[in-house]
Amino acid sequence: MKKPVFIPLFLAFLVLFILVIIPDRWIESLIPKNRISQAATELNPVMFQGKYIQQKMLEDDRYLPIYGSSELARLDRFHPSNYFQEVHEGFTPFLVGRGGTESLIHFLNFSEHMDQLKDKKIVFVLSPQWFNPQGADESHFVPNYSSLQGYDFAFNKQVDPEVKKRAIKRLLTYSSVKNDPILSTLYKAEITNDPWIKREASALRPAAVVYRHLLAKKDLYYSLAGWFSRHRDLTPKVRNKSWDQLAQEAEHYGAKRATNNHFYISNSQYNKIKGFLPSLKNKDLKRSYGESKEYGDFQLVLDVLKQSGAKPLFISVPVNGHYYDYTGFPKEGRAAYYSRIKQQIEADGFQVADFSDHEYDPYFMKDTIHIGWKGWVYTDRAIKEFYEGSDQNLAMMNF
């Protein structure tokens, strides 16, 4: 006898209903105690697009959050996550970000955790490549956008209203926000005096509350489900060495891995571009990082960090000068960025480790855009000085 087709559908809805009504505290009690330490180097999008794992990490003084983008995944032996594990400085770097995680994504994340950021030391790695004229495009924003953080932001009463309005106007330019009928209506109601939109937002608010709760529940289940490991180079060769010795070792390490090109980048990365390298010659003659929508997005980051009382150190990463000269990218267009970003950070009273003088330093970069070997040594030193609270030493450090 043929089974009724509605039975599997009914069972599916029953299972979903049970998963939804299970109290959050029950799920939290099942999440392994070592989940936070596991997540520290995994760079799992589920974690930084969620809330639970980061909230627990920020409440724990053992962790130093490092926010950035794709450079965080270059886990060579000089990477902060590996270096500080070897030298036992008393804290564990916790990495948040991946390729395309630019200022606006970080702003939403910081807005989510304002309560946990007060007096919290954090590190924020900046990439010049974010600051193209149009800022973050759809291809970078959409994969990194968090619906949970987007909905939480709609209900956020902590963020300064003027900052929130600026952020909403920017968020509404992206498809993942403007094509969400509930969220976009809530956002529009914040920035308009139109009574119809405000009434519509009021009517939709209960649905938004329910959906927001479902997203938070999903985050808990993802936190419970488990993670994946990421390869790390933990060769113990960084302990009991001076910074000069480490820089020399990083240079030797890089020299062995960058033997087939004059850009001082790893052989494997050069092999990826050498086939079409002639087409890259002088292709960037008219480019500049001096003007970009990203500066406005980055100001949102500064504003929310300042309001929350966080204590950030910004790492200003250079470009690979040899490669950028080859593509014809004007030095003036690079210098404009270095100067502007430093002034913007310092205007809000924050610290910046400025590495812009290292554009031509061999093996400072691992490829055409990502910090590597020697660059990580300088970054480790800046982080150590910052964590120990030596503001004067950081300001006087010869980067």
Side-chain angles (χ1 to χ4, degrees), residues 11 44 83 128 180 189 250 255 285 335 344 360 390 398:
L11 291 175
N44 191 330
Y83 172 77
D180 182 328
L285 287 172
Q344 190 173 1
Y360 297 100
S390 305
N398 182 20

Side-chain angles (χ1 to χ4, degrees), residues 227-292:
W227 305 82
F228 55 87
S229 61
R230 185 179 293 272
H231 174 72
R232 299 171 62 182
D233 182 354
L234 291 172
T235 312
K237 292 181 181 276
V238 297
R239 198 180 301 175
N240 300 322
K241 293 184 179 179
S242 69
W243 293 115
D244 287 341
Q245 289 173 324
L246 278 174
Q248 290 176 8
E249 183 173 326
E251 192 163 324
H252 294 152
Y253 189 85
K256 293 178 181 179
R257 288 156 178 80
T259 61
N260 65 352
N261 65 89
H262 62 283
F263 301 123
Y264 299 100
I265 64 178
S266 69
N267 293 344
S268 60
Q269 292 298 318
Y270 179 73
N271 289 338
K272 294 178 181 179
I273 65 172
K274 68 178 181 181
F276 53 90
L277 195 61
S279 66
L280 302 177
K281 181 72 172 177
N282 292 329
K283 74 177 182 66
D284 293 330
L285 287 172
K286 297 182 179 181
R287 294 190 63 190
S288 173
Y289 292 144
E291 297 292 333
S292 171

Side-chain angles (χ1 to χ4, degrees), residues 193-250:
N193 293 319
D194 187 328
W196 171 253
I197 293 179
K198 289 187 177 294
R199 285 195 295 270
E200 187 179 7
S202 295
L204 289 172
R205 188 169 290 270
V209 170
V210 172
Y211 186 56
R212 177 191 181 196
H213 174 71
L214 291 176
L215 290 171
K217 183 79 72 174
K218 184 177 78 169
D219 177 47
L220 285 178
Y221 280 118
Y222 278 155
S223 299
L224 171 63
W227 305 82
F228 55 87
S229 61
R230 185 179 293 272
H231 174 72
R232 299 171 62 182
D233 182 354
L234 291 172
T235 312
K237 292 181 181 276
V238 297
R239 198 180 301 175
N240 300 322
K241 293 184 179 179
S242 69
W243 293 115
D244 287 341
Q245 289 173 324
L246 278 174
Q248 290 176 8
E249 183 173 326

Side-chain angles (χ1 to χ4, degrees), residues 49-335:
Q49 290 178 327
K51 176 164 61 174
Y52 175 81
I53 295 295
Q54 286 194 72
Q55 178 178 316
K56 294 301 180 183
M57 175 272 294
L58 289 168
E59 292 171 352
D60 193 329
D61 290 337
R62 292 175 297 175
Y63 294 102
L64 176 68
I66 302 180
Y67 301 87
S69 52
S70 53
E71 73 286 332
L72 298 181
R74 273 60 182 178
L75 288 160
D76 64 50
R77 70 173 64 177
F78 305 102
H79 186 287
S81 290
N82 296 336
Y83 172 77
F84 288 109
Q85 177 166 315
E86 282 299 317
V87 299
H88 305 298
E89 284 294 337
F91 65 88
T92 298
F94 192 102
L95 310 178
V96 183
R98 65 169 180 170
T101 312
E102 301 181 12
S103 299
L104 199 56
I105 296 295
H106 284 299
F107 167 77
L108 282 175
N109 195 12
F110 290 141
S111 299
E112 180 80 276
H113 300 286
M114 289 184 69
D115 289 338
Q116 290 84 42
L117 286 170
K118 183 173 176 56
D119 295 324
K120 184 75 175 181
K121 289 188 175 183
I122 68 172
V123 177
F124 192 104
V125 183
L126 283 159
S127 295
Q129 295 76 27
W130 298 357
F131 293 82
N132 63 75
Q134 296 305 313
D137 59 18
E138 286 278 319
S139 66
H140 290 91
F141 179 85
V142 173
N144 293 296
Y145 167 72
S146 164
S147 293
L148 173 58
Q149 292 175 6
Y151 271 84
D152 278 350
F153 187 65
F155 289 91
N156 192 313
K157 301 298 183 184
Q158 292 179 281
V159 176
D160 179 272
E162 290 305 312
V163 173
K164 189 174 183 180
K165 288 179 180 179
R166 288 184 1 239
I168 286 174
K169 290 177 182 178
R170 186 76 170 109
L171 287 165
L172 283 169
T173 65
Y174 293 100
S175 61
S176 49
V177 176
K178 65 184 179 183
N179 293 341
D180 182 328
I182 296 178
L183 184 61
S184 61
T185 301
L186 294 181
Y187 278 179
K188 290 173 184 176
E190 295 260 7
I191 60 174
T192 184
N193 293 319
D194 187 328
W196 171 253
I197 293 179
K198 289 187 177 294
R199 285 195 295 270
E200 187 179 7
S202 295
L204 289 172
R205 188 169 290 270
V209 170
V210 172
Y211 186 56
R212 177 191 181 196
H213 174 71
L214 291 176
L215 290 171
K217 183 79 72 174
K218 184 177 78 169
D219 177 47
L220 285 178
Y221 280 118
Y222 278 155
S223 299
L224 171 63
W227 305 82
F228 55 87
S229 61
R230 185 179 293 272
H231 174 72
R232 299 171 62 182
D233 182 354
L234 291 172
T235 312
K237 292 181 181 276
V238 297
R239 198 180 301 175
N240 300 322
K241 293 184 179 179
S242 69
W243 293 115
D244 287 341
Q245 289 173 324
L246 278 174
Q248 290 176 8
E249 183 173 326
E251 192 163 324
H252 294 152
Y253 189 85
K256 293 178 181 179
R257 288 156 178 80
T259 61
N260 65 352
N261 65 89
H262 62 283
F263 301 123
Y264 299 100
I265 64 178
S266 69
N267 293 344
S268 60
Q269 292 298 318
Y270 179 73
N271 289 338
K272 294 178 181 179
I273 65 172
K274 68 178 181 181
F276 53 90
L277 195 61
S279 66
L280 302 177
K281 181 72 172 177
N282 292 329
K283 74 177 182 66
D284 293 330
L285 287 172
K286 297 182 179 181
R287 294 190 63 190
S288 173
Y289 292 144
E291 297 292 333
S292 171
K293 291 182 180 179
E294 190 73 20
Y295 288 103
D297 296 345
F298 181 59
Q299 187 59 50
L300 294 171
V301 169
L302 296 175
D303 290 340
V304 76
L305 289 177
K306 191 168 186 177
Q307 185 187 349
S308 66
K311 296 181 178 179
L313 168 67
F314 291 92
I315 306 293
S316 180
V317 177
V319 303
N320 185 319
H322 304 283
Y323 175 76
Y324 268 61
D325 286 349
Y326 180 83
T327 66
F329 199 115
K331 292 182 180 180
E332 295 81 3
R334 290 130 59 175

